[in-house]
Amino acid sequence: MTATVTVGVEDPRQPEVAAMLRAGEAFARTLYAPEECFLLSVDELATPGTTVLVARDAQGAALGMAALVEQDPGAGELKRLFVDDAARGQGVADAIMDALEQAARERSIRTLRLETGTRSDAALRFYARRGYERIPAFGPYVGSATSVCMARELA
């Protein structure tokens, strides 16, 4: 794990965060057609009911991010988990997910859902390791041939 990683709630309109969003989108588009990329924009991430968490190193550089979107009472969705290439394999994604799941609990969210893709092998392994299980497609993912939906009940 990175020596010092802090994760906090931040505004997605910051240049560093916007750059991570662009990098995540570019990566997604190498795997999936545009209509199979269900990515929230910076403006959508800045709406009420959405919490953006950013991981930073000891020098303050952004390493990764994710968003929690509050949905039905007791349910939320993980969106836009992304870790910078240079920070992968250092526990940054786990730090982000720990903070995101805690933020969900604080908002009385008991079911956390997500969507990833059939070609996102590392993501599928990561979420399974964290206790997420496959569920039927929900919301905009119904009918998507490349979507894999997963969920976890939070204690």
Side-chain angles (χ1 to χ4, degrees), residues 93-126:
D94 277 312
I96 293 168
M97 287 298 294
D98 289 346
L100 187 132
E101 290 170 357
Q102 183 58 38
R105 288 181 192 96
E106 290 169 2
R107 289 162 180 76
S108 299
I109 292 172
R110 296 293 170 240
T111 303
L112 190 56
R113 302 183 293 190
L114 63 92
E115 181 269 348
T116 190
T118 56
R119 295 182 199 105
S120 299
D121 296 329
L124 289 165
R125 286 190 305 273
F126 173 74

Side-chain angles (χ1 to χ4, degrees), residues 2 9 13 17 29-30 38-41 43 46 54 56 64 79 84 90 102 104 109 111 116 118 120 123 125 143 152:
T2 302
V9 175
R13 294 171 285 215
V17 176
R29 293 196 189 281
T30 67
F38 300 94
L39 305 172
L40 295 181
S41 69
D43 289 337
V54 178
R56 294 187 178 274
K79 296 291 287 185
D84 184 80
Q90 300 177 43
Q102 183 58 38
I109 292 172
T111 303
T116 190
T118 56
S120 299
R125 286 190 305 273
R152 177 176 168 202

Side-chain angles (χ1 to χ4, degrees), residues 12-63:
R13 294 171 285 215
Q14 300 173 73
E16 271 187 304
V17 176
M20 279 193 290
L21 291 169
R22 287 191 300 276
E25 183 174 343
F27 177 73
R29 293 196 189 281
T30 67
L31 299 174
Y32 306 101
E35 64 273 10
E36 293 294 325
C37 293
F38 300 94
L39 305 172
L40 295 181
S41 69
V42 172
D43 289 337
E44 289 170 313
L45 291 170
T47 60
T50 301
T51 303
V52 174
L53 297 157
V54 178
R56 294 187 178 274
D57 67 14
Q59 291 73 44
L63 303 174

